[in-house]
Amino acid sequence: MQRNEFVVWCQAEKFPDFLALKRTSRLVFTADALAHALFTTGRAPVNTADHGWTSIFEWLHRVALMPAYLRRLPDGRIARSDLARELDRSEKVALSYAVGQAMTGIFSTQLLDVRFLMHVDRYGGQYRLTAAPKTKSRPDLFGQRSKGGWIVAEAKGRSTPIDAELKRKMRSQKRMISTVADAPPEIAYGCCAYFEKINEREWLHLYAVDPEEDEPEAIDIRLSPDRFIEAYYAPFLAAIRAGEPVPWGGPDYLTASFGPFGVQVSILRSVAERVRAAQDGMVPGLHSDVLALLPSATEWEIAPGRFADGTGIAAKWAAAFDQDDWGGVDELRW
């Protein structure tokens, strides 16, 4: 176990046999991977023409939640800080939602081989995605696996343990998206991140399930793979413009620093140039062109702070995550 790595135990049920998922898995990931998941699963930053730089602040707000409210236990597992336990109900809901989205991202990239994952609203806001019926919930996230199949995912977060009834509801929940790009999703699943105290120790867990049936009113995501790629990388380009340019990564990467937040964002220069060309009107062929530019990799994090989608996020949060203000010093006996 490396000093900057986290461990979250995950229980997965009802997933297709071809994935060969274990019912219980041990997710091990870095702070950089956590920051990357927060970036890609959020609604912003994306359309600075409509929202200006406020979209950047929204992302930075989500990112700042992690070192403020999460702590790394000596064995790598994640606990809440003392400050997190003092939040009021609405603040805890916001934190749980962000953690749930981030952990759904970690689960998707590590166990399901999802290379491109983003919030449904990020794509739908730009390209007028058909809305779900008002009385029904809609999955938060959708994306594409490295092998080409589409996935949809609903992310949930709880500050308290989930019970058998919630697990039953997640198992019986109907799929709310029937097709993506004219094909049924290869996988459609729900994930719930929650904190549970076991043997006097509290840490983060993840429960994931893939229900089998479609809801009769499920919607179709009619998308262009080229526009999907454009929407995926747009937030990275927006962040590069907003941050302070730095040389991290050498000439192959464009990088910007958000110093007070301890975060750097980068993207392969070749990918950035092709996406910018698409934003200027050269959209056809973007999906295939970007795939050809990406590094050949078998792991999601190909180097510290570098990912298989051609982007990078480095988070200098070790000092915050390793503080012992998580209520365990006085309560626990090692």
Side-chain angles (χ1 to χ4, degrees), residues 173-324:
Q173 182 172 311
K174 306 299 183 183
R175 296 180 177 182
M176 283 304 302
I177 294 178
S178 57
T179 64
V180 181
D182 298 323
E186 190 172 28
I187 319 168
Y189 51 99
C191 290
C192 184
Y194 62 98
F195 287 90
E196 184 168 9
K197 195 170 186 178
I198 300 176
N199 296 329
E200 299 303 318
R201 301 185 185 185
E202 178 194 72
W203 57 72
L204 184 65
H205 296 72
L206 186 68
Y207 176 77
V209 62
D210 182 2
E212 297 179 352
E213 299 180 18
D214 289 342
E215 162 67 38
E217 294 181 298
I219 65 170
D220 302 315
I221 298 183
R222 299 182 177 89
L223 63 74
S224 155
D226 292 333
R227 291 296 190 186
F228 171 80
I229 290 294
E230 181 184 356
Y232 181 82
Y233 286 104
F236 290 96
L237 297 183
I240 294 297
R241 290 194 300 270
E244 182 72 22
V246 294
W248 180 56
D252 292 339
Y253 282 86
L254 298 174
T255 303
S257 174
F258 297 84
F261 293 89
V263 177
Q264 291 183 341
V265 179
S266 62
I267 182 173
L268 277 172
R269 186 180 298 271
S270 57
V271 172
E273 291 172 350
R274 181 62 184 91
V275 175
R276 284 170 177 165
Q279 292 175 332
D280 290 336
M282 296 178 58
V283 177
L286 177 63
H287 186 274
S288 58
D289 289 347
V290 167
L291 291 183
L293 293 170
L294 296 182
S296 177
T298 57
E299 299 292 332
W300 171 239
E301 190 167 1
I302 59 177
R306 292 279 185 261
F307 301 93
D309 62 352
T311 69
I313 294 189
K316 297 181 179 179
W317 295 339
F321 278 134
D322 290 341
Q323 291 185 74
D324 58 4

Side-chain angles (χ1 to χ4, degrees), residues 30-63:
T30 64
D32 297 337
L34 179 64
H36 189 281
L38 282 164
F39 190 100
T40 57
T41 59
R43 292 183 176 89
V46 56
N47 192 343
T48 55
D50 288 345
H51 303 293
W53 298 125
T54 57
S55 62
I56 304 296
F57 291 128
E58 191 276 344
W59 166 64
L60 290 173
H61 163 70
R62 285 163 49 83
V63 166

